[in-house]
Amino acid sequence: MTSSRAGVKVAIVTGAGFSLPAGIPTQRELLYQIERFEPDIFQPGYLKFVQAKRVVNRFLRAIFLRDPDKNERSEQVVHKLGNLQLEDIYTILDRAISKGDVLPPFSETELVNVRDALDRCIMYYLNYLEANLSPEKQRLYERLYHKLQTDYGNDWIMISTNWDTVWDEVVLSICRKNNLVLDYGPNIFWIELDGTAQRPEGGRLGPRLLKLHGSFNWLTCPQCHTIFVWPKDLGVRDIFDPVRCPRCCVYPVETIEPLLRPLFLTPSLLKSVRNPTLELVWDEAFCALSTATEVIFIGYSLPLADHDLRYLLRRSISQNTKVKVILHESDRPVRAERNTSCPEFRYKSLLDLSDTDFYYEGFESFFGIGV
């Protein structure tokens, strides 16, 4: 897990569109789907999810809707709430919290609680989707993995902006058969089923996956800043229930902190990488992108809010690097117009790409792995 593993032939950078075939919604669809989502009452964490959703809805209705007193179950209200942009919501919350402002009727403490509740709603819903991923959709990603192994051997790396663990679980399943562990980057520990934390031995590291925006199976300690991988076998306890740091906590059980926190960077214009261990993951990504002879983007729209990643890409990708951008048909621009809001325009302005560098048939067609 050192920088000596960073040099690769092919670096694959994935965004939300990469998980779209698995049924994971993009950010612009996520809030609407959460608004319509009603889990079974016997689903683990049902009550706490409902409570968190109620906290979020109260905030959204009070701050964003002109008539917040409409019927709570009105389809029109649900549609309005679903049309709100996560970037706007998180940016407003982050700005207010960082400045110590209030947004009447919400106090500073309540705003922190709203942000925490929104995080948990997103995590709960996407974990639900992943837990119910069909075998057919999972096999698509398995075919992609084997295709990458066939084409590039071990000389490739995945760099992801996604929080979900669709790809993680596919690669982890393959790793287990070979007594390997997915390589998330330097100094990342794995929580064992008995609650202890271990750092994988170098000889057991398998394929690399650098998750620049964190992951739904990652927890971090606010004291030692260690990143821990939470095993799927332990369920989704990290979403609602406290877990004490297994590495640095030496305090009596009656001492609450340090409790582990979920680690994923939310879509805010104030987004920043503050975790020292996550910064090492970014350094590893820089080394990989700098040495790669080819960079393939899959389902990543290069949003302006990802200013840190845009800076990283511009610093690391040289003029001699071959670049391909794989998007969906819905991302295709109208050639007769200068559409500055489309992904292609943003890529061309940042990396000086040409029309032939873009592919709009999805990664299934690009790699020839569709059914």
Side-chain angles (χ1 to χ4, degrees):
M1 293 184 294
T2 65
S3 58
S4 62
R5 284 177 52 88
V8 291
K9 179 180 179 181
V10 178
I12 301 170
V13 182
T14 63
F18 178 63
S19 299
L20 205 58
I24 305 299
T26 60
Q27 287 184 14
R28 63 176 175 266
E29 301 168 333
L30 182 56
L31 195 58
Y32 177 70
Q33 292 198 21
I34 290 175
E35 284 298 325
R36 296 181 59 84
F37 176 60
E38 296 184 6
D40 188 279
I41 60 173
F42 298 108
Q43 185 77 21
Y46 162 81
L47 183 58
K48 291 185 177 180
F49 168 78
V50 171
Q51 292 170 342
K53 185 175 174 180
R54 188 176 297 125
V55 169
V56 173
N57 276 357
R58 176 172 174 261
F59 173 79
L60 297 181
R61 290 161 67 93
I63 300 301
F64 288 94
L65 298 192
R66 295 191 178 194
D67 186 6
D69 297 325
K70 284 187 176 181
N71 187 324
E72 186 174 329
R73 298 188 63 84
S74 166
E75 180 62 28
Q76 183 182 12
V77 172
V78 171
H79 188 73
K80 284 185 176 181
L81 294 177
N83 279 338
L84 298 177
Q85 299 297 303
L86 279 178
E87 287 182 358
D88 287 335
I89 299 169
Y90 272 113
T91 300
I92 288 172
L93 285 169
D94 289 347
R95 176 71 71 181
I97 292 170
S98 66
K99 292 173 64 68
D101 289 343
V102 297
L103 294 175
F106 301 95
S107 67
E108 295 177 55
T109 301
E110 286 177 315
L111 291 176
V112 173
N113 290 338
V114 169
R115 197 191 192 290
D116 184 65
L118 181 56
D119 286 351
R120 277 154 169 68
C121 285
I122 292 173
M123 293 179 67
Y124 185 91
Y125 178 62
L126 292 186
N127 269 288
Y128 169 83
L129 293 181
E130 292 176 31
N132 292 277
L133 183 65
S134 70
E136 179 183 356
K137 292 178 179 178
Q138 184 172 336
R139 283 193 290 270
L140 171 64
Y141 293 90
E142 291 173 352
R143 291 197 297 272
L144 175 60
Y145 174 85
H146 292 301
K147 176 65 174 176
L148 295 175
Q149 285 292 106
T150 300
D151 289 352
Y152 308 123
N154 294 320
D155 205 9
W156 60 279
I157 187 172
M158 188 79 80
I159 300 171
S160 177
T161 66
N162 293 5
W163 309 317
D164 67 76
T165 58
V166 171
W167 180 252
D168 310 47
E169 290 302 322
V170 167
V171 180
L172 279 168
S173 177
I174 295 172
C175 282
R176 292 188 191 101
K177 298 175 183 177
N178 299 290
N179 195 31
L180 296 175
V181 176
L182 179 57
D183 183 1
Y184 279 119
N187 299 326
I188 293 182
F189 285 67
W190 289 69
I191 295 180
E192 307 295 336
L193 295 181
D194 62 1
T196 59
Q198 302 291 332
R199 184 163 53 184
E201 301 172 0
R204 291 192 59 213
L205 292 176
R208 283 168 286 175
L209 172 58
L210 304 180
K211 306 195 76 170
L212 302 184
H213 290 170
S215 182
F216 284 162
N217 63 338
W218 286 8
L219 301 175
T220 186
C221 174
Q223 178 169 262
C224 66
H225 304 296
T226 302
I227 294 176
F228 299 94
V229 182
W230 186 257
K232 186 177 181 180
D233 294 339
L234 292 178
V236 294
R237 178 179 159 192
D238 55 300
I239 298 178
F240 293 113
D241 297 330
V243 179
R244 291 178 13 128
C245 180
R247 189 177 180 209
C248 75
C249 185
V250 294
Y251 306 103
V253 292
E254 58 269 15
T255 303
I256 297 177
E257 295 287 357
L259 295 178
L260 301 184
R261 272 78 163 163
L263 178 60
F264 63 101
L265 303 188
T266 52
S268 167
L269 294 178
L270 302 182
K271 181 188 304 178
S272 62
V273 183
R274 298 178 180 176
N275 183 288
T277 306
L278 188 58
E279 288 180 347
L280 295 177
V281 175
W282 279 70
D283 290 342
E284 194 83 352
F286 172 82
C287 292
L289 290 166
S290 298
T291 59
T293 58
E294 182 177 4
V295 176
I296 302 174
F297 292 90
I298 304 179
Y300 180 60
S301 63
L302 199 66
L304 294 176
D306 283 355
H307 44 79
D308 284 334
L309 182 49
R310 292 168 65 89
Y311 177 58
L312 173 67
L313 296 174
R314 185 55 281 164
R315 287 177 57 224
S316 58
I317 298 178
S318 74
Q319 298 296 329
N320 298 323
T321 306
K322 181 181 178 182
V323 176
K324 288 293 181 183
V325 181
I326 305 171
L327 297 168
H328 292 273
E329 182 62 36
S330 59
D331 298 312
R332 190 189 296 273
V334 178
R335 295 295 179 189
E337 300 177 1
R338 187 174 180 270
N339 188 352
T340 59
S341 64
C342 72
E344 182 174 316
F345 178 85
R346 293 194 289 270
Y347 273 103
K348 287 181 175 178
S349 64
L350 186 71
L351 300 175
D352 191 28
L353 303 183
S354 64
D355 290 353
T356 57
D357 295 322
F358 294 86
Y359 190 87
Y360 288 98
E361 309 299 328
F363 73 83
E364 307 96 306
S365 176
F366 182 87
F367 288 105
I369 57 172
V371 178

